[in-house]
Amino acid sequence: EYRRQRQMCIRDSAREIEAYSFTRDEPLAFTVVARGSLSAGAAIEGPAIVLEETATTYVDAGFTGSVEADGTLVLTDTEMS
């Protein structure tokens, strides 16, 4: 029952929330994404929050999350050049 409720919570979550950005030193609108909606090859630009049953991943502004073939979510600092 808990698992079903948690999945509903993730699926029904807001599309955007305000959260603190450490890279920008101010609150920003973060996109909220269900982890299950990201398949291999998908990419998401921060600011974003990725929700899944056992974890929450914070993708700050200036970072990109990419889903590898094995399902791993890899975060890359896109402003570090």
Side-chain angles (χ1 to χ4, degrees), residues 2 6-7 9-11 13 32-36 38 48-59 71 73 75:
Y2 170 79
R6 178 72 178 134
Q7 287 172 337
C9 179
I10 291 171
R11 197 172 39 247
S13 63
V32 178
V33 179
R35 178 69 171 88
L38 301 174
I49 295 176
V50 181
L51 301 176
E52 58 186 301
E53 189 172 325
T54 59
T56 300
T57 304
Y58 173 91
V59 185
L73 181 61
L75 302 183

Side-chain angles (χ1 to χ4, degrees), residues 6-79:
R6 178 72 178 134
Q7 287 172 337
M8 287 174 56
C9 179
I10 291 171
R11 197 172 39 247
D12 298 336
S13 63
R15 292 183 179 256
E16 258 188 15
I17 62 167
E18 187 173 282
Y20 188 80
S21 168
F22 292 94
T23 60
R24 300 295 186 262
D25 196 26
E26 65 180 341
L28 296 177
F30 278 67
T31 303
V32 178
V33 179
R35 178 69 171 88
S37 71
L38 301 174
S39 56
I44 183 164
E45 289 186 27
I49 295 176
V50 181
L51 301 176
E52 58 186 301
E53 189 172 325
T54 59
T56 300
T57 304
Y58 173 91
V59 185
D60 208 345
F63 284 78
T64 299
S66 302
V67 182
E68 300 292 310
D70 66 358
T72 304
L73 181 61
V74 177
L75 302 183
T76 304
D77 183 345
T78 55
E79 296 179 348

